[in-house]
Amino acid sequence: MKTLRIATRKSPLALWQTEHVADELRAAHPGLDVSLVPMSTRGDEVLDRSLAAIGGKGLFLKELELAMLRGEADCAVHSLKDVPMELEPGFALPAILARADYADAFVSNRFENVAALPQGARVGTSSLRRQAQLRALRPDLELVDLRGNVNTRLGKLDAGEYDAIVLACAGLDRLGFGARIRTRMAAPHWLPAPAQGAIAIECRDDDIATRELCAALDDVATRTCVEAERAMNRALHGSCHVPVAAFAQLQGEHLQLEGLVGSSQDGRVVRAHGEGRGDAPECLGLQVAQMLIDQGAGEFIAASHG
Ligand SMILES: NCc1[nH]cc(CCC(=O)O)c1CC(=O)O
């Protein structure tokens, strides 16, 4: 194959990530012609309702997958945290790139961190996971929905709509807004979304040529960690409807996983920590999911489906 066409969403972050993948592919395969196919998705167009309400994270993938099926693109680039736990049948993830900063960012023009916020401060975040962890730390905060791309969210903060916002460090760093981060909210105290900070390439399962080209960008350590995180999330029926957070780290052969499930109703959260081997990340994910269930996470999950 001489050309590779990569489908991408059109947000500045999606385009940055796809350009990054294109550069890495060109470096790995000198002479390969790589081009971008920018597309808009329903997840980008519907901004007035929560993602959960309009059908979940798969909305960001659907149009890109259809383009691959129609033969208009060979592969697509995604933030892995936006990829559903069960891939559409017929698709594969031939590469998961080395993870950037996994952490969430506390961004504010006036305050240094969550603890420094005044009583009743307004904090913007769209994710149930961030809301649940904020509520557990500070039940007094006023949590306000905040959707839209990274640039839009910063604009709303600067317009004075919020005292602070919480979003992913990876997105801010990639777009050159790293200096706006007041606190990088690190594990184990504050946990990210499963696979946050990792970029994945998706292609058709049966497209061996594309799979082989993309495989050059795969980072085994990142894949191991995100498999544990995603297996945990899958076992908890993770979706946009349940606040689930997970973070795994690999040291040599030793894999550790921190997991959290929050109530979407009040400030309760349950946490679990497990350790296992790097060659069995899914086992560890299932083990930590079971520990969370044993501590009562099932009640939160049932409540969020009711
Ligand atoms: N939910 C949207 C989304 N998907 C991926 C990222 C950031 C980049 C990443 O996690 O790889 C973001 C923005 C955010 O949560 O602030």
Side-chain angles (χ1 to χ4, degrees), residues 13 17 79 81-82 130 150 153 167-168 170-171 174 195-198:
L13 180 58
Q17 293 179 167
S79 293
K81 80 162 170 174
D82 295 330
R130 290 172 182 146
V150 171
R153 294 187 211 185
L167 61 179
R174 287 170 183 151
Q196 183 159 305

Side-chain angles (χ1 to χ4, degrees), residues 167-239:
L167 61 179
C169 287
L172 292 165
D173 287 334
R174 287 170 183 151
L175 293 176
F177 296 123
R180 302 224 31 189
I181 301 173
R182 300 290 283 261
T183 302
R184 292 183 187 253
M185 302 164 85
H189 307 290
W190 182 279
L191 296 182
Q196 183 159 305
I199 295 171
I201 312 180
E202 183 185 25
C203 72
R204 289 196 338 265
D205 211 7
D206 61 2
D207 185 349
I208 305 298
T210 299
R211 289 178 69 148
E212 283 178 1
L213 286 171
C214 295
L217 274 48
D218 194 51
D219 183 78
V220 178
T222 299
R223 185 179 282 274
T224 300
C225 291
V226 300
E227 275 177 2
E229 295 162 11
R230 284 170 61 83
M232 186 202 94
N233 196 19
R234 196 178 294 121
L236 294 167
H237 311 286
S239 71

Side-chain angles (χ1 to χ4, degrees), residues 1 14 17 21 27 34 54-55 76 84 106 136 143 146 164 170 190 194 200 269 276 290:
M1 191 191 304
Q17 293 179 167
V21 166
V34 183
I54 58 177
F106 179 89
L143 305 181
L146 169 59
W190 182 279
V269 295
Q290 190 57 52

